[in-house]
Amino acid sequence: MNLAEIVKGMIPKESVDRTYQCDKCHDTGFISWTDENGIEYAKECTCSVRSRTIRRLEESGLAEQVERYTFKRFKTDKPYQKDMARKASEYAKGQYKQGRWFFVGGQSGSGKTHICTAIAGQIIKQGHAAKYMLWREDSMNLKSMVNTEEYARAIKKYKNVYCLYIDDLFKGRVSEADINLAFELIDARYRKRYPTIISSEYTISGIAEIDEAVAGRIAECGTCINIGKDKHKNIRLQVGRQGV
């Protein structure tokens, strides 16, 4: 499925003729008109909004995931799932605009990535830029650039994007370099009060054992959900058992 199909239904589809992709604005991106008093007005065409949304999905790194991981597809059979979905929905509806953060940590396979991706998708569809950071892979790339000119440019993209989604923070063996990178990134966003979404297999208390400064900044900024260790909450394992 292409990106245009992913965002289909978000914005009314405009008719297309042989000359223009958008028959309404003639591909200018704006619609203008003059009222009875001769005053000219202009507004952005819906085709321009659609194009910008597609571009933001491409830039976010979440283009393929946002269709699959939605609020509607998130199962809420258990109390902890209902609580997670409710708090995530409240956050996506507007709490992020206040510079608040959303953190969910704990049991692997409990739906953390799903719910965080759903939030990021909604923020993008509401007109904001977002970026996806898969900690284990992207942190390795950044650490390999430390003490080079490329490092400042590379980490700036994560520090300055409106909304950053860090998936699986501190996944794998945590080194001093990981802690330094996490603090630099999280502290920068903490000071700017940019909305940040974080998932981790560590709870906040677990992150505090790694580094209190990182944990404290995450905890202070908004919603924190901690899911206790329980294999029965691992959705992936449950699906695997059903397939046996």
Side-chain angles (χ1 to χ4, degrees):
M1 180 172 287
N2 60 40
L3 288 171
E5 290 174 326
I6 290 175
V7 298
K8 183 178 179 181
M10 290 168 42
I11 304 162
K13 184 179 180 181
E14 304 296 338
S15 60
V16 178
D17 62 16
R18 296 179 181 179
T19 306
Y20 302 105
Q21 290 185 335
C22 180
D23 188 49
K24 197 170 183 179
C25 72
H26 289 186
D27 297 346
T28 64
F30 291 89
I31 299 170
S32 60
W33 71 96
T34 304
D35 69 8
E36 56 186 14
N37 297 315
I39 300 175
E40 294 185 358
Y41 296 89
K43 68 177 182 179
E44 190 174 29
C45 183
T46 53
C47 74
S48 180
V49 177
R50 185 188 304 114
S51 296
R52 189 165 60 249
T53 302
I54 291 172
R55 185 176 67 253
R56 282 176 174 150
L57 282 168
E58 290 175 328
E59 293 172 348
S60 72
L62 290 167
E64 295 181 1
Q65 293 99 311
V66 293
E67 183 204 10
R68 184 167 67 253
Y69 296 138
T70 64
F71 283 114
K72 288 185 178 179
R73 292 191 174 188
F74 185 74
K75 293 185 178 181
T76 55
D77 301 329
K78 299 177 181 179
Y80 85 91
Q81 293 171 323
K82 291 180 180 178
D83 180 64
M84 195 192 314
R86 177 182 60 79
K87 290 178 178 177
S89 178
E90 290 173 354
Y91 180 83
K93 285 179 180 177
Q95 290 180 358
Y96 71 89
K97 295 178 182 178
Q98 303 165 14
R100 291 171 62 82
W101 292 18
F102 184 92
F103 170 87
V104 56
Q107 176 61 48
S108 175
S110 58
K112 302 187 302 294
T113 293
H114 186 140
I115 207 68
C116 288
T117 303
I119 293 172
Q122 285 298 309
I123 290 175
I124 292 170
K125 291 173 184 178
Q126 289 173 31
H128 301 287
K131 188 171 183 61
Y132 176 67
M133 180 182 191
L134 182 58
W135 178 262
R136 191 164 191 171
E137 294 181 6
D138 293 328
S139 66
M140 287 181 65
N141 291 333
L142 287 168
K143 287 184 293 182
S144 70
M145 300 178 190
V146 173
N147 299 323
T148 69
E149 293 181 359
E150 290 78 10
Y151 177 76
R153 290 194 295 269
I155 197 169
K156 186 176 180 180
K157 296 177 182 178
Y158 297 99
K159 287 181 177 180
N160 294 341
V161 68
Y162 177 75
C163 177
L164 177 65
Y165 167 23
I166 304 175
D167 192 12
D168 263 342
L169 176 64
F170 290 143
K171 177 74 173 180
R173 188 179 68 84
V174 181
S175 66
E176 191 67 27
D178 287 302
I179 296 172
N180 291 337
L181 174 61
F183 179 80
E184 179 182 355
L185 181 56
I186 287 172
D187 183 62
R189 299 189 63 79
Y190 168 83
R191 287 185 281 106
K192 294 175 181 178
R193 285 296 190 266
Y194 284 169
T196 305
I197 305 162
I198 302 172
S199 73
S200 177
E201 290 186 0
Y202 291 95
T203 60
I204 283 292
S205 60
I207 292 176
E209 291 180 7
I210 296 172
D211 188 85
E212 290 187 5
V214 170
R217 283 160 174 74
I218 295 172
E220 181 183 334
C221 287
T223 300
C224 289
I225 301 172
N226 296 290
I227 304 171
K229 295 293 183 181
D230 182 351
K231 290 184 179 180
H232 292 93
K233 294 178 181 178
N234 191 323
I235 300 170
R236 300 187 190 99
L237 287 179
Q238 300 306 317
V239 172
R241 292 191 185 102
Q242 293 171 8
V244 174

